[in-house]
């Protein structure tokens, strides 16, 4: 056991990253601080390190993804790991293999980290109980998406210098959003004031227990806020109709310059992507580099995932019998 491994294990005493809920402010800060160094490294011509040389990362995505999967792939490769991407379309899942059989099969190949995205809340935790390696939740149903919340936090911290005491309005389809849930946990843990702005049909019944202020009107919810975080209308998770019409949704809940005018003058706009232009956000505003940090969020994603991979891979050496 090297000194470095022992230190990181003490500071981040978790084998897996399944969610933000339960992480302490110090643990979140540790991951964000480590990410900072990778932001710089990723801007260099030579972006490669050998920190994870000899280690194997498997991306196991049971749902479509552009940003998260490529970001984890780049993160692993830039740290020198061998990276395998499992495409569900060509895997034995199509032949009816269960989630746990797939997990046990992959586990037999001795990966060091598994990044898993799955349409069911709780599926990633279940899988983590069957394998010897570290598991990172790449998004499970409408439950959690921890690396998204971390990359959002890094984007905010780099722009505004802190997370505490900021007012963040999370707007739109909160009901189906794992991004919202992970962000609510992270921002509350770090001392920010969190508001959610949505029609009652797009809020979970449990919203009152999440420690947020609830608004059903964009102008009231956005008044004086530092950050406006927009969410995609997740129609693929909707059974039945949750909004009367797309036109009406944009009219009342779509972000445009007019609604944004009540937020702080320099309020930043965020969106995890993929965006529905003209549905939850005005297209011109989404591209307005003076206000929108959407591309910066993507950049921070690679750095945050490098920090998470490094932290968990070094914990694994100490924790596992291998
Ligand atoms: C989000 C996700 O998959 O939960 N996207 C992402 O990871 N960048 C949000 C979404 O799909 O709307």
């Amino acid at each position: 056991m090297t000194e470095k491994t022992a230190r990181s294990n003490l500071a981040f005493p978790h084998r897996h990253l399944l969610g933000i809920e339960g992480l302490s402010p110090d643990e979140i800060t540790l991951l964000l601080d480590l990410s900072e160094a990778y932001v710089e490294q990723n801007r260099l011509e030579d972006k490669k390190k050998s920190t994870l040389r000899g280690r194997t990362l498997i991306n196991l995505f049971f749902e479509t993804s552009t940003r998260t999967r490529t970001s984890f792939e780049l993160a692993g490769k830039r740290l020198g790991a061998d990276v395998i991407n499992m495409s569900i379309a060509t895997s034995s899942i199509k032949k009816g293999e269960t989630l746990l059989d797939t997990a046990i099969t992959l586990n037999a190949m001795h990966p060091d980290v598994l990044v898993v995205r799955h349409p069911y809340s709780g599926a990633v935790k279940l899988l983590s109980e069957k394998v010897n390696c570290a598991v990172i939740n790449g998004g499970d149903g409408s439950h959690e998406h921890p690396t998204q919340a971390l990359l959002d936090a890094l984007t905010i911290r780099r722009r505004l210098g802190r997370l505490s005491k900021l007012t963040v309005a999370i707007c739109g389809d909160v009901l189906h959003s794992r991004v919202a849930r992970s962000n609510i946990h992270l921002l509350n843990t770090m001392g920010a004031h969190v508001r959610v702005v949505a029609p009652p049909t797009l809020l979970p019944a449990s919203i009152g227990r999440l420690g947020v202020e609830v608004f059903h009107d964009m102008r009231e919810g956005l008044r004086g806020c530092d950050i406006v975080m927009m969410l995609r209308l997740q129609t693929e998770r909707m059974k039945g109709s949750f909004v009367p019409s797309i036109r009406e949704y944009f009219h009342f809940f779509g972000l445009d310059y007019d609604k944004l005018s009540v937020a702080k003058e320099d309020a930043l706009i965020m969106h995890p992507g993929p965006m529905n232009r003209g549905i939850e956000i005005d297209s011109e505003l989404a591209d307005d580099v003076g206000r929108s940090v959407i591309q910066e969020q993507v950049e921070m994603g690679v750095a945050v995932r490098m920090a998470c991979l490094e932290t968990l891979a070094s914990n694994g050496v100490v924790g596992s019998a291998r």
Side-chain angles (χ1 to χ4, degrees):
M1 184 198 303
T2 64
E3 228 185 290
K4 188 176 170 293
T5 310
R7 253 204 318 273
S8 68
N9 204 37
L10 278 182
F12 195 85
H14 306 280
R15 184 160 175 70
H16 309 296
L17 179 63
L18 300 175
I20 296 293
E21 192 175 13
L23 293 188
S24 70
D26 283 351
E27 289 161 4
I28 291 168
T29 302
L30 174 101
L31 291 174
L32 297 181
D33 288 351
L34 190 56
S35 306
E36 290 283 0
Y38 287 125
V39 176
E40 300 313 316
Q41 185 189 314
N42 287 336
R43 289 178 179 173
L44 299 175
E45 208 176 321
D46 181 1
K47 302 171 181 62
K48 203 145 174 166
K49 281 204 159 190
S50 55
T51 323
L52 296 188
R53 207 171 71 196
R55 307 292 180 89
T56 306
L57 159 67
I58 301 183
N59 278 324
L60 183 56
F61 278 57
F62 295 86
E63 252 187 20
T64 55
S65 170
T66 305
R67 276 149 277 261
T68 308
R69 200 198 52 71
T70 38
S71 182
F72 268 111
E73 181 176 354
L74 271 180
K77 286 182 170 164
R78 287 186 183 168
L79 290 173
D82 295 315
V83 183
I84 308 292
N85 293 307
M86 291 273 307
S87 158
I88 297 314
T90 54
S91 75
S92 290
I93 310 279
K94 282 273 172 215
K95 297 181 183 167
E97 187 171 73
T98 67
L99 170 69
L100 295 182
D101 280 337
T102 305
I104 291 163
T105 302
L106 294 177
N107 187 53
M109 299 180 195
H110 295 297
D112 297 279
V113 184
L114 271 176
V115 177
V116 187
R117 170 171 282 193
H118 199 279
Y120 296 120
S121 305
V124 181
K125 181 171 187 300
L126 187 70
L127 185 146
S128 74
E129 287 158 6
K130 307 286 172 198
V131 296
N132 298 324
C133 63
V135 175
I136 299 180
N137 182 0
D140 65 323
S142 52
H143 176 228
E144 280 239 36
H145 189 352
T147 56
Q148 179 70 42
L150 287 163
L151 75 87
D152 289 339
L154 184 65
T155 309
I156 299 171
R157 205 181 74 163
R158 285 173 61 91
R159 282 289 189 133
L160 301 180
R162 65 180 207 284
L163 294 164
S164 70
K165 306 220 164 41
L166 293 177
T167 301
V168 183
I170 303 179
C171 313
D173 188 358
V174 179
L175 178 66
H176 300 101
S177 180
R178 50 199 178 207
V179 174
R181 249 166 226 82
S182 288
N183 264 299
I184 290 170
H185 288 308
L186 189 147
L187 292 163
N188 275 339
T189 304
M190 300 308 282
H193 305 295
V194 187
R195 300 175 181 175
V196 295
V197 191
T201 49
L202 291 180
L203 286 173
S206 60
I207 194 71
R209 292 199 293 273
L210 290 177
V212 296
E213 242 186 304
V214 178
F215 294 86
H216 301 304
D217 180 278
M218 283 288 270
R219 279 181 191 78
E220 284 173 25
L222 264 50
R223 188 157 291 127
C225 72
D226 298 279
I227 303 282
V228 184
M229 194 180 278
M230 299 307 297
L231 299 172
R232 183 172 65 89
L233 203 54
Q234 300 197 22
T235 46
E236 79 279 13
R237 293 196 202 282
M238 296 181 185
K239 291 187 187 74
S241 182
F242 285 73
V243 292
S245 77
I246 294 300
R247 248 179 89 171
E248 196 171 313
Y249 185 77
F250 184 75
H251 178 72
F252 287 107
F253 292 96
L255 186 67
D256 55 17
Y257 283 101
D258 182 46
K259 295 188 194 88
L260 183 64
S261 65
V262 299
K264 282 211 178 125
E265 211 183 324
D266 53 356
L268 299 175
I269 299 162
M270 305 179 79
H271 193 302
M275 274 185 281
N276 290 312
R277 290 174 183 265
I279 298 181
E280 68 261 355
I281 188 164
D282 171 68
S283 191
E284 199 187 320
L285 188 52
D287 295 331
D288 182 343
V289 287
R291 307 304 298 268
S292 158
V293 293
I294 297 171
Q295 292 311 315
E296 224 166 288
Q297 287 173 267
V298 178
E299 183 189 0
M300 295 308 123
V302 181
V304 153
R305 285 160 183 139
M306 289 168 86
C308 293
L309 287 175
E310 187 193 335
T311 304
L312 291 184
S314 36
N315 279 0
V317 171
V318 174
S320 83
R322 284 186 288 135

